[in-house]
Amino acid sequence: MDKMLDRLVPKATASADTSFWKKCSSCGYIDVIGSVGHMVKLCHVVGGVSSCGPCNSFQVGCS
């Protein structure tokens, strides 16, 4: 019966769609912003495939 069920119902995948921030540079003082931190880019994982946008966001702090 399990073999028949496997044919009728597709198996679930473990990949989940999510977004995360990725650091683009080391932490330092940014003159234009007047603060200590680093540039970051927003990345997405959709269907197990990841892609990132440009490094155009700033995150304050050195965590």
Side-chain angles (χ1 to χ4, degrees):
M1 187 67 171
D2 287 340
K3 289 181 182 180
M4 181 183 252
L5 185 60
D6 285 342
R7 290 182 186 166
L8 296 174
V9 179
K11 293 187 178 192
T13 60
S15 63
D17 297 348
T18 187
S19 299
F20 62 96
W21 290 98
K22 185 173 183 179
K23 295 178 185 177
C24 299
S25 62
S26 60
C27 194
Y29 183 77
I30 308 294
D31 289 331
V32 175
I33 300 169
S35 185
V36 174
H38 48 263
M39 296 301 292
V40 294
K41 58 185 172 182
L42 184 59
C43 299
H44 304 282
V45 178
V46 178
V49 178
S50 63
S51 65
C52 298
C55 296
N56 61 359
S57 297
F58 183 75
Q59 188 174 37
V60 176
C62 297
S63 56

